[in-house]
Amino acid sequence: MKHIALALCAATWALPAAAQDLSQAMQAYYQEHLQLWTQDPVIIAALRAQNAMTSTYSADQVAALDRDWQSEVGHASMPTVDPVLNNAAADFLRQQVEASRSRITEVILMDAIGLNVAVTSITSDYWQGDEDKYSATFQIGPDAVHFSDIELDESTGHYQGQISFSVVDPANGELVGAMTVGVDAELLM
């Protein structure tokens, strides 16, 4: 019984230290790798093009697009999903995922209203505007970075987290979108 109590105490003390280590690892990964992506011309061009198109969308239009996206997922015909999954920015992001040696699990690029611009794999919804990945970044400002809690992804059996951050056009400093990068917490450490 004494061994179990000692093991539980040790595990309890180790959790905050592990969380701190992971937080530092996520911060370092963001600064060393992810931040550079936001300056790539293909990312900025994709955001600028979609912002020009979606800046006047009403809440009803956004909701209708989100419903269309969700109804298409898993079907052969995906006219709302395919342009977001298959574009130059999505190709660029998939190259980054491949280069990460499995550290990155997914990437979502969002426009100024929280709609997906480019994704490396299909997301469950099109509008991210009601989630922390958007509200804790784009809505906060140009320097905002948000680290999610680490959770077990049952489909992969790995612990994963998300690093979300605002995207600023390096040419003029204008806030143009946000990006979320899913990371495999075990491989990041």
Side-chain angles (χ1 to χ4, degrees):
M1 189 67 149
K2 184 176 179 181
H3 296 293
I4 293 172
L6 288 174
L8 286 174
C9 285
T12 303
W13 289 326
L15 288 176
Q20 179 65 26
D21 289 346
L22 185 55
S23 177
Q24 291 173 349
M26 289 173 75
Q27 179 69 35
Y29 198 74
Y30 164 72
Q31 291 173 334
E32 293 169 18
H33 300 283
L34 308 180
Q35 202 170 24
L36 299 174
W37 301 357
T38 64
Q39 298 174 15
D40 193 278
V42 74
I43 296 298
I44 301 302
L47 285 166
R48 288 222 168 266
Q50 185 155 315
N51 286 340
M53 189 173 50
T54 62
S55 65
T56 60
Y57 282 12
S58 69
D60 288 340
Q61 286 174 295
V62 170
L65 284 167
D66 197 41
R67 282 191 303 274
D68 289 348
W69 178 287
Q70 291 175 34
S71 71
E72 293 172 15
V73 172
H75 291 88
S77 176
M78 299 187 297
T80 310
V81 176
D82 282 341
V84 176
L85 186 61
N86 300 304
N87 62 50
D91 291 343
F92 169 83
L93 294 171
R94 273 190 288 279
Q95 290 170 356
Q96 306 314 307
V97 170
E98 188 174 316
S100 79
R101 298 187 322 256
S102 300
R103 285 185 182 93
I104 298 173
T105 58
E106 70 174 337
V107 183
I108 304 167
L109 181 64
M110 298 157 275
D111 69 9
I113 63 172
L115 289 172
N116 293 347
V117 174
V119 295
T120 56
S121 56
I122 298 173
T123 59
S124 59
D125 55 357
Y126 186 33
W127 186 59
Q128 312 300 323
D130 60 343
E131 299 178 33
D132 285 346
K133 61 180 60 109
Y134 175 81
S135 64
T137 58
F138 187 88
Q139 291 183 336
I140 300 299
D143 297 323
V145 180
H146 174 74
F147 301 103
S148 75
D149 291 335
I150 304 302
E151 298 177 354
L152 178 64
D153 182 328
E154 292 183 18
S155 66
T156 65
H158 290 266
Y159 285 92
Q160 298 184 89
Q162 292 183 333
I163 304 169
S164 301
F165 45 95
S166 297
V167 179
V168 174
D169 186 334
N172 61 12
E174 181 184 349
L175 179 59
V176 291
M179 187 181 297
T180 292
V181 178
V183 293
D184 185 316
E186 295 169 46
L187 293 177
L188 201 57
M189 292 293 292

